[in-house]
Amino acid sequence: MKTIEVCLTPDLLHQYSVVEKVAVVVDVLRASSTMITAFAHGLDRLMPVAYVEGCLALQRLGYMSAGERDGAKVEGFDFGNSPYDVMNGDLSGKSLAMTTTNGTLAIEKAKSAKKLMIGAFLNLSALAERVKELNENTLIVCAGWKGHINLEDTLFAGALVSKLGDHFEMKGDSALAAQLMYNTSKDNLYEVVSQTSHAKRLKKLSAEKDMRFCLEPDKYDVVPILDSEHLVAQPS
Ligand code: MLT
């Protein structure tokens, strides 16, 4: 049986051999949720960029741009990091460059994986099916917040581990801890996540409705996958 592990923050990634694994990068609030929403609304490809300067350079080359620093839209970008921005942004058939405080950085750190996919509650079941089909040792990489763990990504990791439990062997106590936390929170996920530090940050930015949206399970069946440098909606 293949294994499923959870890396609770990208700062712990050196403890896992990501090159030998399928990586699922998750930033529930809000980068991975916004990416999934953009693809569900027709986006062609997305270049995840670690730094603002890289995103602006791609914008000059004709990409649309999206992203935030500390939650707030970056000046000069077309979109912020809200799922509502990209679903109303007419991104159909377009290329998007995106940079966020933690999410795109986690992708950058995990991109040596055998395959890299993007997960959030929005695509939970479709993602679980894709992971099962691939049937490789799998590592869930939580984006966290500036090197610290966060509860919302840990809860998502627990949800995905729960879906895969019969097909994969859980490896390491972080997978177990994530699953236990999810099991005690799943019936009141919104109330639990409302207490997190990022929920408080989003509240100050008047983005509470983003949080409610990002916690909706299985809204979309699209699974973004890294294909060379771009994320695409289908494996090539
Ligand atoms: C991040 O990458 O840190 C987040 O997506 C921040 C946000 O909610 O905008």
Side-chain angles (χ1 to χ4, degrees):
M1 213 183 229
K2 302 292 182 183
T3 58
I4 181 99
E5 292 173 283
V6 177
C7 174
L8 292 170
T9 149
D11 280 21
L12 294 175
L13 203 56
H14 60 277
Q15 298 185 355
Y16 302 84
S17 312
V18 70
V19 282
E20 294 164 14
K21 291 167 189 155
V22 164
V24 174
V25 176
V26 50
D27 184 355
V28 169
L29 299 177
R30 298 164 288 174
S32 57
S33 301
T34 299
M35 289 173 183
I36 292 159
T37 304
F39 280 110
H41 287 81
L43 180 68
D44 184 41
R45 59 184 192 161
L46 187 154
M47 177 84 91
V49 186
Y51 301 103
V52 169
E53 296 69 29
C55 218
L56 290 170
L58 286 165
Q59 193 182 32
R60 288 192 287 276
L61 293 175
Y63 283 68
M64 306 291 284
S65 57
E68 54 68 40
R69 280 299 174 269
D70 293 329
K73 181 182 169 194
V74 176
E75 209 184 313
F77 279 15
D78 298 302
F79 308 107
N81 184 29
S82 165
Y84 289 100
D85 283 3
V86 295
M87 77 173 74
N88 295 320
D90 190 19
L91 280 166
S92 198
K94 303 240 170 77
S95 300
L96 181 69
M98 185 167 175
T99 183
T100 70
T101 310
N102 304 284
T104 56
L105 205 55
I107 294 172
E108 177 66 27
K109 288 187 175 176
K111 71 180 184 191
S112 62
K114 274 182 164 178
K115 251 191 202 314
L116 186 151
M117 299 189 282
I118 300 298
F121 285 104
L122 293 174
N123 71 350
L124 175 61
S125 293
L127 172 69
E129 285 310 309
R130 201 62 56 83
V131 173
K132 277 189 232 167
E133 280 160 24
L134 288 170
N135 196 30
E136 299 272 1
N137 291 332
T138 300
L139 177 64
I140 305 169
V141 181
C142 299
W145 182 262
K146 298 187 179 179
H148 296 269
I149 76 161
N150 72 25
L151 189 59
E152 63 274 16
D153 294 344
T154 307
L155 290 171
F156 171 79
L160 185 56
V161 167
S162 296
K163 285 229 173 246
L164 296 172
D166 294 340
H167 304 266
F168 288 77
E169 180 194 336
M170 231 194 315
K171 187 173 167 193
D173 284 2
S174 50
L176 178 63
Q179 192 182 31
L180 290 171
M181 278 189 221
Y182 175 68
N183 284 339
T184 54
S185 309
K186 64 184 176 193
D187 294 333
N188 53 345
L189 208 51
Y190 181 79
E191 288 69 25
V192 173
V193 174
S194 294
Q195 298 169 52
T196 65
S197 52
H198 199 49
K200 289 175 188 155
R201 222 173 272 121
L202 290 177
K203 195 170 177 189
K204 280 191 195 142
L205 294 164
S206 305
E208 286 152 297
K209 72 173 182 166
D210 287 14
M211 186 176 87
R212 200 174 280 281
F213 182 84
C214 293
L215 295 177
E216 279 184 47
D218 296 334
K219 193 170 175 61
Y220 302 123
D221 61 6
V222 62
V223 179
I225 294 187
L226 193 64
D227 181 6
S228 184
E229 292 181 306
H230 287 96
L231 288 165
V232 293
Q234 294 292 321
S236 58

